[in-house]
Amino acid sequence: KYPTAHDLAGFSKCTEKTALTRAWRYIEAIQALREQKIKWVFDDDNNYPEMYVATVDGVHCRISEPRKNPSSTWFSTKSNKAAVAYEIAVSIQHNRIVWMNGPFPAGTNDKRIFDMPNGLATKLKDHQKVIADEGYRGAPKKVSTRNTFDSAEMKDFKRRSKARQETVNARLKAFGIINQVFRTHGDQRLPKHMAAMEACCVIVQYEMENGSPLFRV
């Protein structure tokens, strides 16, 4: 499990309150780099020729069951537990996380998140598409999913592209605070979880830029 307040206090030789305050200070400092490190690079070149610019997937992170507003909308079909969902997009031709959005209740449909105002769908130019799984079906002009009519080469391209995305997801899930049940409760649950997730994305992005790139498609 990721360290408790008691664990942190033992490491730091201070009170639990001080240890938690310091830990979140570091997390929020890393989170502050999000705008610098997690950015949609395709706005920089209006002549970017590729049709398939990124892959996108939903990542579910477990939380304890909300008590103030219990609802089936928190239920994750991936973990069969209460969770929050994030939308993560990874560039196909770059070692870069180019988009993240969340948290949302895990029961929120992937396509609904994609189509939200100021969501990922609004970032794509007319000739651009993302590759995704079947949860994003319904927007063929913007999303390409599995298609039985694809050529063998296209099927392999989509498979390898989605495998790169899963590599990023796995690197995020290597962090206990993302992979395990998040322990913060109450009104701070979602802001704190978002801070942790954004900080982890920033760290993974730094890893990709400094010795741990993704494989080429």
Side-chain angles (χ1 to χ4, degrees):
K1 65 180 180 180
Y2 70 94
T4 63
H6 179 74
D7 295 332
L8 292 173
F11 300 153
S12 305
K13 301 187 185 303
C14 61
T15 66
E16 293 184 4
K17 181 178 180 180
T18 299
L20 281 176
T21 299
R22 289 176 179 173
W24 282 109
R25 186 184 302 152
Y26 295 139
I27 291 170
E28 289 163 1
I30 299 171
Q31 178 198 19
L33 297 170
R34 174 195 164 159
E35 296 301 320
Q36 176 183 338
K37 304 306 295 183
I38 312 299
K39 54 186 178 182
W40 187 256
V41 296
F42 311 109
D43 287 338
D44 298 334
D45 182 1
N46 291 326
N47 296 315
Y48 189 78
E50 302 294 335
M51 175 184 291
Y52 300 104
V53 296
T55 54
V56 62
D57 193 23
V59 176
H60 288 191
C61 306
R62 287 184 58 191
I63 59 173
S64 55
E65 186 72 37
R67 295 182 179 180
K68 288 187 177 180
N69 56 339
S71 169
S72 60
T73 59
W74 297 102
F75 181 78
S76 167
T77 56
K78 295 183 179 182
S79 65
N80 291 324
K81 302 286 185 179
V84 291
Y86 291 86
E87 183 179 65
I88 307 290
V90 178
S91 171
I92 293 174
Q93 301 298 333
H94 307 82
N95 282 298
R96 181 167 292 280
I97 301 171
V98 293
W99 174 263
M100 65 175 301
N101 195 12
F104 303 99
T108 309
N109 181 271
D110 289 339
K111 177 67 165 48
R112 180 181 175 188
I113 296 174
F114 179 78
D115 286 332
M116 284 183 173
N118 299 316
L120 181 54
T122 67
K123 302 292 289 184
L124 294 165
K125 298 180 176 65
D126 289 342
H127 68 285
Q128 293 176 337
K129 290 185 178 183
V130 294
I131 294 174
D133 61 24
E134 284 66 27
Y136 287 84
R137 278 183 173 170
K141 292 184 178 180
K142 293 182 179 291
V143 182
S144 181
T145 59
R146 183 172 56 184
N147 189 330
T148 56
F149 296 103
D150 283 339
S151 66
E153 292 79 9
M154 177 56 72
K155 288 178 180 178
D156 186 62
F157 173 72
K158 288 182 179 180
R159 179 187 62 78
R160 288 179 58 80
S161 297
K162 289 192 286 187
R164 284 175 92 253
Q165 172 86 45
E166 291 298 331
T167 299
V168 172
N169 294 353
R171 292 184 183 184
L172 290 171
K173 289 297 184 78
F175 293 93
I177 199 168
I178 301 302
N179 189 41
Q180 299 164 26
V181 179
F182 190 61
R183 292 193 295 265
T184 301
H185 297 268
D187 294 338
Q188 288 298 306
R189 182 203 313 266
L190 296 186
K192 291 288 189 183
H193 199 285
M194 182 171 69
M197 184 59 157
E198 291 183 352
C200 290
C201 284
V202 168
I203 293 171
V204 169
Q205 181 59 47
Y206 270 108
E207 288 178 343
M208 289 192 289
E209 294 172 2
N210 294 277
S212 297
L214 301 174
F215 62 84
R216 296 176 64 87
V217 175

